Amino acid sequence: VALPELDTETWKQLAESALEQRLRAHAPYSGFRVGAALLTADGQIITGCNVENASYGLTLCAERVAIASAVAAGQRRFRALAIAAETSPPPRPCGACLQVIAEFCSEDFPLVLVNGAGERERYRLADLLPHAFRLKTLE
Ligand SMILES: [Zn+2]
């Protein structure tokens, strides 16, 4: 069952959560701070930030941290995701994160990418990852 479109105020709140969360990033190597804010089906906002590691390859992106936190909190149904960084255009999720998002979200899942300058880009998951790997279809 498709969830209704988000209203403007909810999008704004989600974007602000992502912008705020990026300030918690652990990014001493790249200086590239990213925040993510995931809206659950029951209306909670669960956030994540990137967590870099001295070995680089172990670095976790903000989007995957948010999803892992949500799953650990018992949440698996999501309505939208906001991702924030300082870059212009705003940051797009990497391929690894898109695949992790696709584990829980349908092709129509909405994402908003934002930066502190107020730029916004809206996508559906399938715009960014048109042919996600799936072992089975989402229920
Ligand atoms: Zn990523």
Side-chain angles (χ1 to χ4, degrees):
V1 181
L3 294 160
E5 269 290 300
L6 294 192
D7 57 72
T8 310
E9 188 52 40
T10 307
W11 273 123
K12 200 174 154 219
Q13 201 182 349
L14 206 57
E16 280 167 9
S17 295
L19 283 163
E20 194 178 297
Q21 185 64 23
R22 86 188 191 287
L23 302 176
R24 293 196 178 152
H26 175 68
Y29 308 107
S30 72
F32 185 66
R33 298 188 297 177
V34 184
L38 194 56
L39 182 67
T40 65
D42 63 3
Q44 292 182 56
I45 292 177
I46 296 180
T47 55
C49 60
N50 55 327
V51 182
E52 292 184 346
N53 188 273
S55 73
Y56 284 62
L58 293 177
T59 292
L60 295 167
C61 301
E63 301 92 312
R64 280 179 286 149
V65 170
I67 288 182
S69 296
V71 172
Q75 298 284 344
R76 286 167 191 236
R77 291 191 67 220
F78 307 117
R79 293 189 62 187
L81 176 65
I83 303 162
E86 283 310 312
T87 50
S88 178
R92 287 155 193 159
C94 77
C97 286
L98 289 169
Q99 184 62 50
V100 170
I101 294 165
E103 179 73 14
F104 298 99
C105 304
S106 69
E107 293 188 342
D108 290 332
F109 182 73
L111 298 96
V112 65
L113 317 178
V114 304
N115 63 21
E119 290 178 89
R120 301 271 186 276
E121 288 184 359
R122 287 272 301 269
Y123 294 98
R124 303 177 309 129
L125 179 58
D127 297 329
L128 300 171
L129 186 67
H131 304 287
F133 173 77
R134 295 186 190 277
L135 270 181
K136 57 178 189 175
T137 53
L138 292 173
E139 284 129 42

Tab-separated table of all heavy atoms in Angstrom, residues 57-123:
chain	number	residue	atom	x	y	z
A	57	GLY	N	38.296	2.310	4.203
A	57	GLY	CA	37.316	1.366	3.662
A	57	GLY	C	36.199	1.026	4.634
A	57	GLY	O	35.140	0.552	4.232
A	58	LEU	N	36.411	1.249	5.903
A	58	LEU	CA	35.381	0.951	6.904
A	58	LEU	C	34.426	2.109	7.124
A	58	LEU	O	33.495	2.014	7.925
A	58	LEU	CB	36.035	0.570	8.236
A	58	LEU	CG	36.810	-0.741	8.214
A	58	LEU	CD1	37.466	-0.984	9.561
A	58	LEU	CD2	35.903	-1.902	7.850
A	59	THR	N	34.637	3.193	6.427
A	59	THR	CA	33.787	4.368	6.573
A	59	THR	C	32.327	4.029	6.284
A	59	THR	O	32.023	3.311	5.335
A	59	THR	CB	34.280	5.481	5.629
A	59	THR	OG1	35.557	5.916	6.110
A	59	THR	CG2	33.311	6.645	5.562
A	60	LEU	N	31.445	4.548	7.131
A	60	LEU	CA	30.010	4.358	6.939
A	60	LEU	C	29.390	5.665	6.486
A	60	LEU	O	29.653	6.719	7.060
A	60	LEU	CB	29.353	3.928	8.247
A	60	LEU	CG	29.768	2.567	8.786
A	60	LEU	CD1	29.297	2.406	10.219
A	60	LEU	CD2	29.206	1.471	7.895
A	61	CYS	N	28.533	5.586	5.487
A	61	CYS	CA	27.823	6.779	5.024
A	61	CYS	C	26.636	7.068	5.954
A	61	CYS	O	26.093	6.170	6.603
A	61	CYS	CB	27.272	6.573	3.624
A	61	CYS	SG	28.496	6.187	2.372
A	62	ALA	N	26.228	8.320	5.957
A	62	ALA	CA	25.118	8.763	6.802
A	62	ALA	C	23.833	7.987	6.523
A	62	ALA	O	23.092	7.634	7.452
A	62	ALA	CB	24.872	10.256	6.568
A	63	GLU	N	23.569	7.710	5.260
A	63	GLU	CA	22.325	7.026	4.889
A	63	GLU	C	22.280	5.626	5.498
A	63	GLU	O	21.262	5.181	6.022
A	63	GLU	CB	22.214	6.892	3.359
A	63	GLU	CG	22.231	8.208	2.608
A	63	GLU	CD	23.635	8.619	2.171
A	63	GLU	OE1	24.574	8.572	3.013
A	63	GLU	OE2	23.797	8.990	1.004
A	64	ARG	N	23.394	4.908	5.410
A	64	ARG	CA	23.422	3.544	5.944
A	64	ARG	C	23.379	3.546	7.470
A	64	ARG	O	22.794	2.649	8.069
A	64	ARG	CB	24.635	2.779	5.420
A	64	ARG	CG	24.393	2.254	4.000
A	64	ARG	CD	25.584	1.511	3.470
A	64	ARG	NE	26.638	2.454	3.128
A	64	ARG	CZ	27.942	2.185	3.194
A	64	ARG	NH1	28.352	1.016	3.606
A	64	ARG	NH2	28.819	3.094	2.843
A	65	VAL	N	23.989	4.558	8.084
A	65	VAL	CA	23.911	4.674	9.550
A	65	VAL	C	22.456	4.905	9.965
A	65	VAL	O	21.962	4.289	10.913
A	65	VAL	CB	24.834	5.808	10.058
A	65	VAL	CG1	24.582	6.107	11.524
A	65	VAL	CG2	26.298	5.423	9.837
A	66	ALA	N	21.756	5.761	9.247
A	66	ALA	CA	20.345	6.034	9.572
A	66	ALA	C	19.499	4.771	9.417
A	66	ALA	O	18.670	4.461	10.285
A	66	ALA	CB	19.798	7.152	8.679
A	67	ILE	N	19.707	4.036	8.345
A	67	ILE	CA	18.911	2.826	8.129
A	67	ILE	C	19.236	1.773	9.182
A	67	ILE	O	18.331	1.147	9.749
A	67	ILE	CB	19.084	2.296	6.691
A	67	ILE	CG1	18.337	3.250	5.748
A	67	ILE	CG2	18.553	0.856	6.560
A	67	ILE	CD1	18.344	2.872	4.306
A	68	ALA	N	20.511	1.593	9.494
A	68	ALA	CA	20.878	0.611	10.512
A	68	ALA	C	20.295	1.008	11.877
A	68	ALA	O	19.793	0.152	12.615
A	68	ALA	CB	22.396	0.475	10.588
A	69	SER	N	20.325	2.286	12.197
A	69	SER	CA	19.744	2.753	13.463
A	69	SER	C	18.248	2.483	13.498
A	69	SER	O	17.700	2.076	14.526
A	69	SER	CB	19.976	4.257	13.652
A	69	SER	OG	21.340	4.520	13.762
A	70	ALA	N	17.601	2.726	12.362
A	70	ALA	CA	16.157	2.516	12.290
A	70	ALA	C	15.817	1.039	12.478
A	70	ALA	O	14.921	0.693	13.253
A	70	ALA	CB	15.618	3.024	10.951
A	71	VAL	N	16.531	0.187	11.795
A	71	VAL	CA	16.266	-1.251	11.915
A	71	VAL	C	16.516	-1.705	13.346
A	71	VAL	O	15.723	-2.461	13.922
A	71	VAL	CB	17.109	-2.051	10.897
A	71	VAL	CG1	16.995	-3.553	11.146
A	71	VAL	CG2	16.656	-1.724	9.468
A	72	ALA	N	17.582	-1.188	13.950
A	72	ALA	CA	17.884	-1.554	15.341
A	72	ALA	C	16.792	-1.066	16.291
A	72	ALA	O	16.587	-1.643	17.355
A	72	ALA	CB	19.236	-0.986	15.742
A	73	ALA	N	16.087	-0.012	15.890
A	73	ALA	CA	14.996	0.516	16.710
A	73	ALA	C	13.659	-0.153	16.368
A	73	ALA	O	12.605	0.272	16.850
A	73	ALA	CB	14.899	2.028	16.527
A	74	GLY	N	13.701	-1.163	15.511
A	74	GLY	CA	12.484	-1.899	15.184
A	74	GLY	C	11.688	-1.320	14.024
A	74	GLY	O	10.537	-1.684	13.812
A	75	GLN	N	12.304	-0.421	13.258
A	75	GLN	CA	11.611	0.226	12.141
A	75	GLN	C	12.095	-0.348	10.811
A	75	GLN	O	13.305	-0.417	10.587
A	75	GLN	CB	11.894	1.740	12.150
A	75	GLN	CG	11.414	2.450	13.390
A	75	GLN	CD	9.904	2.656	13.404
A	75	GLN	OE1	9.235	2.542	12.379
A	75	GLN	NE2	9.373	2.961	14.574
A	76	ARG	N	11.148	-0.702	9.951
A	76	ARG	CA	11.521	-1.216	8.633
A	76	ARG	C	10.709	-0.620	7.500
A	76	ARG	O	10.897	-0.971	6.334
A	76	ARG	CB	11.360	-2.731	8.590
A	76	ARG	CG	12.453	-3.421	9.367
A	76	ARG	CD	12.138	-4.864	9.593
A	76	ARG	NE	13.093	-5.389	10.553
A	76	ARG	CZ	13.880	-6.436	10.320
A	76	ARG	NH1	13.812	-7.075	9.190
A	76	ARG	NH2	14.713	-6.837	11.250
A	77	ARG	N	9.760	0.217	7.846
A	77	ARG	CA	8.941	0.853	6.796
A	77	ARG	C	9.208	2.340	6.842
A	77	ARG	O	9.071	2.987	7.890
A	77	ARG	CB	7.455	0.563	7.021
A	77	ARG	CG	7.094	-0.903	6.785
A	77	ARG	CD	5.592	-1.088	6.747
A	77	ARG	NE	5.025	-0.430	5.561
A	77	ARG	CZ	3.869	0.257	5.579
A	77	ARG	NH1	3.177	0.373	6.695
A	77	ARG	NH2	3.432	0.820	4.474
A	78	PHE	N	9.563	2.883	5.683
A	78	PHE	CA	9.989	4.272	5.623
A	78	PHE	C	9.194	5.050	4.590
A	78	PHE	O	8.776	4.502	3.569
A	78	PHE	CB	11.490	4.330	5.306
A	78	PHE	CG	12.300	3.487	6.254
A	78	PHE	CD1	13.026	2.395	5.790
A	78	PHE	CD2	12.299	3.744	7.621
A	78	PHE	CE1	13.753	1.598	6.665
A	78	PHE	CE2	13.027	2.955	8.505
A	78	PHE	CZ	13.756	1.882	8.020
A	79	ARG	N	9.009	6.347	4.883
A	79	ARG	CA	8.224	7.197	3.978
A	79	ARG	C	9.091	8.102	3.130
A	79	ARG	O	8.710	8.475	2.023
A	79	ARG	CB	7.264	8.061	4.789
A	79	ARG	CG	6.181	7.246	5.466
A	79	ARG	CD	5.144	8.136	6.059
A	79	ARG	NE	4.478	8.924	5.031
A	79	ARG	CZ	3.611	9.893	5.289
A	79	ARG	NH1	3.315	10.194	6.535
A	79	ARG	NH2	3.043	10.555	4.312
A	80	ALA	N	10.241	8.515	3.670
A	80	ALA	CA	11.080	9.453	2.920
A	80	ALA	C	12.443	9.550	3.577
A	80	ALA	O	12.611	9.185	4.748
A	80	ALA	CB	10.423	10.836	2.892
A	81	LEU	N	13.402	10.065	2.814
A	81	LEU	CA	14.769	10.233	3.325
A	81	LEU	C	15.295	11.590	2.856
A	81	LEU	O	15.152	11.945	1.683
A	81	LEU	CB	15.664	9.116	2.769
A	81	LEU	CG	17.152	9.184	3.109
A	81	LEU	CD1	17.389	9.016	4.609
A	81	LEU	CD2	17.919	8.111	2.335
A	82	ALA	N	15.882	12.325	3.784
A	82	ALA	CA	16.578	13.570	3.434
A	82	ALA	C	18.064	13.359	3.687
A	82	ALA	O	18.450	12.725	4.675
A	82	ALA	CB	16.054	14.731	4.278
A	83	ILE	N	18.873	13.888	2.784
A	83	ILE	CA	20.335	13.765	2.909
A	83	ILE	C	20.919	15.167	2.745
A	83	ILE	O	20.534	15.898	1.825
A	83	ILE	CB	20.891	12.820	1.827
A	83	ILE	CG1	20.216	11.451	1.919
A	83	ILE	CG2	22.408	12.670	1.971
A	83	ILE	CD1	20.373	10.621	0.665
A	84	ALA	N	21.835	15.530	3.644
A	84	ALA	CA	22.363	16.896	3.640
A	84	ALA	C	23.884	16.914	3.692
A	84	ALA	O	24.508	16.119	4.391
A	84	ALA	CB	21.820	17.659	4.855
A	85	ALA	N	24.464	17.835	2.929
A	85	ALA	CA	25.902	18.133	3.012
A	85	ALA	C	26.078	19.565	2.506
A	85	ALA	O	25.094	20.241	2.185
A	85	ALA	CB	26.723	17.153	2.199
A	86	GLU	N	27.317	20.012	2.436
A	86	GLU	CA	27.556	21.396	2.019
A	86	GLU	C	27.767	21.554	0.522
A	86	GLU	O	27.892	22.668	0.032
A	86	GLU	CB	28.767	21.957	2.771
A	86	GLU	CG	28.436	22.331	4.199
A	86	GLU	CD	27.181	23.213	4.296
A	86	GLU	OE1	27.081	24.201	3.538
A	86	GLU	OE2	26.312	22.890	5.107
A	87	THR	N	27.857	20.454	-0.204
A	87	THR	CA	28.215	20.545	-1.615
A	87	THR	C	27.085	21.128	-2.464
A	87	THR	O	25.914	21.056	-2.110
A	87	THR	CB	28.563	19.150	-2.168
A	87	THR	OG1	27.515	18.252	-1.804
A	87	THR	CG2	29.876	18.654	-1.596
A	88	SER	N	27.482	21.701	-3.585
A	88	SER	CA	26.510	22.179	-4.559
A	88	SER	C	26.866	21.552	-5.907
A	88	SER	O	27.984	21.731	-6.389
A	88	SER	CB	26.578	23.705	-4.687
A	88	SER	OG	25.664	24.138	-5.673
A	89	PRO	N	25.959	20.816	-6.530
A	89	PRO	CA	24.619	20.463	-6.043
A	89	PRO	C	24.685	19.608	-4.775
A	89	PRO	O	25.740	19.075	-4.450
A	89	PRO	CB	24.029	19.672	-7.211
A	89	PRO	CG	25.191	19.079	-7.924
A	89	PRO	CD	26.272	20.099	-7.790
A	90	PRO	N	23.546	19.491	-4.079
A	90	PRO	CA	23.515	18.685	-2.862
A	90	PRO	C	23.965	17.240	-3.133
A	90	PRO	O	23.929	16.793	-4.271
A	90	PRO	CB	22.045	18.722	-2.441
A	90	PRO	CG	21.475	19.910	-3.108
A	90	PRO	CD	22.221	20.059	-4.406
A	91	PRO	N	24.372	16.531	-2.084
A	91	PRO	CA	24.966	15.203	-2.253
A	91	PRO	C	23.970	14.159	-2.712
A	91	PRO	O	22.853	14.118	-2.227
A	91	PRO	CB	25.438	14.862	-0.840
A	91	PRO	CG	24.448	15.565	0.031
A	91	PRO	CD	24.155	16.853	-0.659
A	92	ARG	N	24.383	13.330	-3.634
A	92	ARG	CA	23.561	12.175	-4.027
A	92	ARG	C	24.107	10.952	-3.314
A	92	ARG	O	25.313	10.868	-3.102
A	92	ARG	CB	23.621	11.995	-5.538
A	92	ARG	CG	22.820	13.092	-6.221
A	92	ARG	CD	23.250	13.389	-7.601
A	92	ARG	NE	22.621	14.638	-8.021
A	92	ARG	CZ	23.077	15.381	-9.003
A	92	ARG	NH1	24.157	15.030	-9.652
A	92	ARG	NH2	22.450	16.490	-9.327
A	93	PRO	N	23.234	10.024	-2.971
A	93	PRO	CA	23.711	8.829	-2.264
A	93	PRO	C	24.652	8.013	-3.149
A	93	PRO	O	24.468	7.957	-4.371
A	93	PRO	CB	22.435	8.031	-1.996
A	93	PRO	CG	21.303	8.947	-2.257
A	93	PRO	CD	21.785	10.009	-3.182
A	94	CYS	N	25.630	7.353	-2.543
A	94	CYS	CA	26.526	6.484	-3.310
A	94	CYS	C	25.786	5.199	-3.669
A	94	CYS	O	24.707	4.914	-3.149
A	94	CYS	CB	27.801	6.202	-2.511
A	94	CYS	SG	27.583	4.990	-1.191
A	95	GLY	N	26.386	4.426	-4.550
A	95	GLY	CA	25.755	3.188	-5.003
A	95	GLY	C	25.472	2.212	-3.877
A	95	GLY	O	24.437	1.542	-3.866
A	96	ALA	N	26.402	2.114	-2.928
A	96	ALA	CA	26.203	1.189	-1.807
A	96	ALA	C	24.973	1.587	-1.000
A	96	ALA	O	24.148	0.750	-0.642
A	96	ALA	CB	27.449	1.164	-0.924
A	97	CYS	N	24.839	2.866	-0.726
A	97	CYS	CA	23.682	3.325	0.049
A	97	CYS	C	22.383	3.129	-0.717
A	97	CYS	O	21.371	2.743	-0.123
A	97	CYS	CB	23.847	4.793	0.433
A	97	CYS	SG	25.067	5.000	1.742
A	98	LEU	N	22.409	3.373	-2.010
A	98	LEU	CA	21.191	3.167	-2.797
A	98	LEU	C	20.730	1.720	-2.712
A	98	LEU	O	19.537	1.439	-2.568
A	98	LEU	CB	21.423	3.583	-4.255
A	98	LEU	CG	21.556	5.089	-4.477
A	98	LEU	CD1	22.060	5.381	-5.888
A	98	LEU	CD2	20.222	5.800	-4.225
A	99	GLN	N	21.675	0.805	-2.771
A	99	GLN	CA	21.309	-0.610	-2.669
A	99	GLN	C	20.734	-0.932	-1.289
A	99	GLN	O	19.782	-1.697	-1.168
A	99	GLN	CB	22.519	-1.486	-2.982
A	99	GLN	CG	22.208	-2.967	-3.003
A	99	GLN	CD	21.194	-3.344	-4.089
A	99	GLN	OE1	21.338	-2.967	-5.255
A	99	GLN	NE2	20.149	-4.069	-3.712
A	100	VAL	N	21.284	-0.329	-0.256
A	100	VAL	CA	20.769	-0.560	1.104
A	100	VAL	C	19.377	0.066	1.256
A	100	VAL	O	18.473	-0.523	1.859
A	100	VAL	CB	21.766	-0.021	2.154
A	100	VAL	CG1	21.160	-0.011	3.546
A	100	VAL	CG2	23.031	-0.875	2.148
A	101	ILE	N	19.165	1.228	0.671
A	101	ILE	CA	17.840	1.855	0.695
A	101	ILE	C	16.836	0.939	-0.022
A	101	ILE	O	15.714	0.727	0.440
A	101	ILE	CB	17.888	3.263	0.046
A	101	ILE	CG1	18.749	4.207	0.891
A	101	ILE	CG2	16.474	3.833	-0.120
A	101	ILE	CD1	19.149	5.495	0.176
A	102	ALA	N	17.275	0.356	-1.151
A	102	ALA	CA	16.386	-0.504	-1.941
A	102	ALA	C	15.986	-1.774	-1.191
A	102	ALA	O	14.986	-2.407	-1.518
A	102	ALA	CB	17.055	-0.875	-3.263
A	103	GLU	N	16.754	-2.147	-0.181
A	103	GLU	CA	16.397	-3.315	0.630
A	103	GLU	C	15.054	-3.109	1.336
A	103	GLU	O	14.302	-4.054	1.552
A	103	GLU	CB	17.501	-3.567	1.668
A	103	GLU	CG	17.262	-4.729	2.602
A	103	GLU	CD	17.436	-6.086	1.917
A	103	GLU	OE1	18.001	-6.133	0.804
A	103	GLU	OE2	16.988	-7.079	2.510
A	104	PHE	N	14.764	-1.841	1.670
A	104	PHE	CA	13.574	-1.548	2.483
A	104	PHE	C	12.538	-0.693	1.767
A	104	PHE	O	11.432	-0.541	2.271
A	104	PHE	CB	13.996	-0.830	3.775
A	104	PHE	CG	14.896	-1.675	4.637
A	104	PHE	CD1	16.271	-1.497	4.611
A	104	PHE	CD2	14.365	-2.672	5.444
A	104	PHE	CE1	17.108	-2.285	5.397
A	104	PHE	CE2	15.195	-3.470	6.229
A	104	PHE	CZ	16.564	-3.279	6.196
A	105	CYS	N	12.907	-0.093	0.653
A	105	CYS	CA	12.047	0.927	0.046
A	105	CYS	C	11.724	0.589	-1.401
A	105	CYS	O	12.553	0.015	-2.111
A	105	CYS	CB	12.729	2.289	0.115
A	105	CYS	SG	13.190	2.748	1.796
A	106	SER	N	10.535	0.984	-1.825
A	106	SER	CA	10.086	0.703	-3.183
A	106	SER	C	10.702	1.695	-4.168
A	106	SER	O	11.324	2.675	-3.784
A	106	SER	CB	8.562	0.805	-3.248
A	106	SER	OG	8.197	2.153	-3.077
A	107	GLU	N	10.467	1.447	-5.440
A	107	GLU	CA	11.010	2.305	-6.502
A	107	GLU	C	10.527	3.746	-6.388
A	107	GLU	O	11.197	4.672	-6.813
A	107	GLU	CB	10.614	1.752	-7.872
A	107	GLU	CG	11.267	0.423	-8.181
A	107	GLU	CD	11.014	-0.020	-9.605
A	107	GLU	OE1	10.084	0.509	-10.252
A	107	GLU	OE2	11.770	-0.898	-10.075
A	108	ASP	N	9.338	3.936	-5.829
A	108	ASP	CA	8.758	5.280	-5.716
A	108	ASP	C	9.204	6.026	-4.467
A	108	ASP	O	8.779	7.158	-4.242
A	108	ASP	CB	7.228	5.190	-5.696
A	108	ASP	CG	6.688	4.780	-7.050
A	108	ASP	OD1	7.353	5.071	-8.063
A	108	ASP	OD2	5.613	4.152	-7.089
A	109	PHE	N	10.019	5.410	-3.651
A	109	PHE	CA	10.450	6.026	-2.396
A	109	PHE	C	11.064	7.403	-2.659
A	109	PHE	O	11.980	7.541	-3.466
A	109	PHE	CB	11.474	5.111	-1.718
A	109	PHE	CG	11.961	5.625	-0.396
A	109	PHE	CD1	11.151	5.597	0.720
A	109	PHE	CD2	13.246	6.145	-0.276
A	109	PHE	CE1	11.604	6.070	1.944
A	109	PHE	CE2	13.714	6.613	0.942
A	109	PHE	CZ	12.888	6.580	2.055
A	110	PRO	N	10.564	8.444	-1.976
A	110	PRO	CA	11.061	9.793	-2.248
A	110	PRO	C	12.291	10.176	-1.413
A	110	PRO	O	12.352	9.884	-0.223
A	110	PRO	CB	9.865	10.675	-1.872
A	110	PRO	CG	9.131	9.909	-0.824
A	110	PRO	CD	9.410	8.432	-1.072
A	111	LEU	N	13.225	10.833	-2.077
A	111	LEU	CA	14.425	11.343	-1.410
A	111	LEU	C	14.549	12.824	-1.704
A	111	LEU	O	14.234	13.270	-2.818
A	111	LEU	CB	15.688	10.664	-1.937
A	111	LEU	CG	15.818	9.162	-1.751
A	111	LEU	CD1	15.366	8.439	-3.000
A	111	LEU	CD2	17.278	8.809	-1.470
A	112	VAL	N	15.015	13.573	-0.724
A	112	VAL	CA	15.351	14.968	-0.967
A	112	VAL	C	16.802	15.177	-0.559
A	112	VAL	O	17.248	14.700	0.480
A	112	VAL	CB	14.393	15.957	-0.238
A	112	VAL	CG1	14.500	15.857	1.271
A	112	VAL	CG2	14.665	17.382	-0.690
A	113	LEU	N	17.541	15.840	-1.440
A	113	LEU	CA	18.957	16.121	-1.212
A	113	LEU	C	19.075	17.621	-0.994
A	113	LEU	O	18.548	18.407	-1.782
A	113	LEU	CB	19.784	15.675	-2.423
A	113	LEU	CG	19.384	14.308	-2.999
A	113	LEU	CD1	20.240	13.972	-4.222
A	113	LEU	CD2	19.479	13.218	-1.963
A	114	VAL	N	19.728	18.000	0.089
A	114	VAL	CA	19.747	19.416	0.467
A	114	VAL	C	21.154	19.852	0.861
A	114	VAL	O	22.013	19.037	1.175
A	114	VAL	CB	18.778	19.688	1.656
A	114	VAL	CG1	17.374	19.217	1.321
A	114	VAL	CG2	19.251	19.032	2.937
A	115	ASN	N	21.367	21.165	0.826
A	115	ASN	CA	22.591	21.729	1.397
A	115	ASN	C	22.235	22.970	2.201
A	115	ASN	O	21.081	23.416	2.199
A	115	ASN	CB	23.649	22.021	0.312
A	115	ASN	CG	23.204	23.062	-0.682
A	115	ASN	OD1	22.310	23.869	-0.410
A	115	ASN	ND2	23.816	23.064	-1.851
A	116	GLY	N	23.228	23.496	2.894
A	116	GLY	CA	22.977	24.626	3.772
A	116	GLY	C	22.609	25.900	3.034
A	116	GLY	O	22.066	26.832	3.628
A	117	ALA	N	22.889	25.944	1.730
A	117	ALA	CA	22.559	27.125	0.928
A	117	ALA	C	21.097	27.125	0.496
A	117	ALA	O	20.644	28.044	-0.187
A	117	ALA	CB	23.460	27.187	-0.303
A	118	GLY	N	20.368	26.083	0.871
A	118	GLY	CA	18.943	26.044	0.537
A	118	GLY	C	18.620	25.346	-0.759
A	118	GLY	O	17.467	25.324	-1.187
A	119	GLU	N	19.631	24.767	-1.416
A	119	GLU	CA	19.343	24.025	-2.643
A	119	GLU	C	18.659	22.712	-2.293
A	119	GLU	O	18.993	22.076	-1.294
A	119	GLU	CB	20.634	23.733	-3.412
A	119	GLU	CG	21.268	24.954	-4.036
A	119	GLU	CD	22.565	24.579	-4.734
A	119	GLU	OE1	22.504	24.229	-5.920
A	119	GLU	OE2	23.617	24.616	-4.071
A	120	ARG	N	17.702	22.321	-3.127
A	120	ARG	CA	16.947	21.088	-2.900
A	120	ARG	C	16.832	20.333	-4.211
A	120	ARG	O	16.540	20.915	-5.241
A	120	ARG	CB	15.509	21.408	-2.461
A	120	ARG	CG	15.387	22.232	-1.197
A	120	ARG	CD	15.346	21.311	0.014
A	120	ARG	NE	15.087	22.037	1.242
A	120	ARG	CZ	16.030	22.658	1.966
A	120	ARG	NH1	17.272	22.703	1.550
A	120	ARG	NH2	15.728	23.252	3.096
A	121	GLU	N	17.022	19.021	-4.154
A	121	GLU	CA	16.750	18.171	-5.314
A	121	GLU	C	15.879	17.032	-4.841
A	121	GLU	O	16.159	16.415	-3.822
A	121	GLU	CB	18.054	17.598	-5.894
A	121	GLU	CG	18.909	18.615	-6.604
A	121	GLU	CD	20.153	17.987	-7.247
A	121	GLU	OE1	20.361	16.766	-7.132
A	121	GLU	OE2	20.919	18.752	-7.849
A	122	ARG	N	14.823	16.747	-5.592
A	122	ARG	CA	13.925	15.645	-5.231
A	122	ARG	C	14.064	14.523	-6.252
A	122	ARG	O	14.124	14.764	-7.460
A	122	ARG	CB	12.467	16.141	-5.242
A	122	ARG	CG	12.113	17.039	-4.068
A	122	ARG	CD	11.637	16.236	-2.856
A	122	ARG	NE	10.466	15.423	-3.139
A	122	ARG	CZ	9.211	15.833	-2.979
A	122	ARG	NH1	8.936	17.051	-2.571
A	122	ARG	NH2	8.207	15.030	-3.243
A	123	TYR	N	14.101	13.306	-5.757
A	123	TYR	CA	14.168	12.124	-6.614
A	123	TYR	C	13.283	11.031	-6.051
A	123	TYR	O	12.962	11.028	-4.865
A	123	TYR	CB	15.600	11.574	-6.683
A	123	TYR	CG	16.591	12.484	-7.349
A	123	TYR	CD1	17.430	13.299	-6.586
A	123	TYR	CD2	16.698	12.536	-8.734
A	123	TYR	CE1	18.351	14.140	-7.197
A	123	TYR	CE2	17.616	13.365	-9.341
A	123	TYR	CZ	18.436	14.166	-8.574
A	123	TYR	OH	19.344	15.001	-9.169
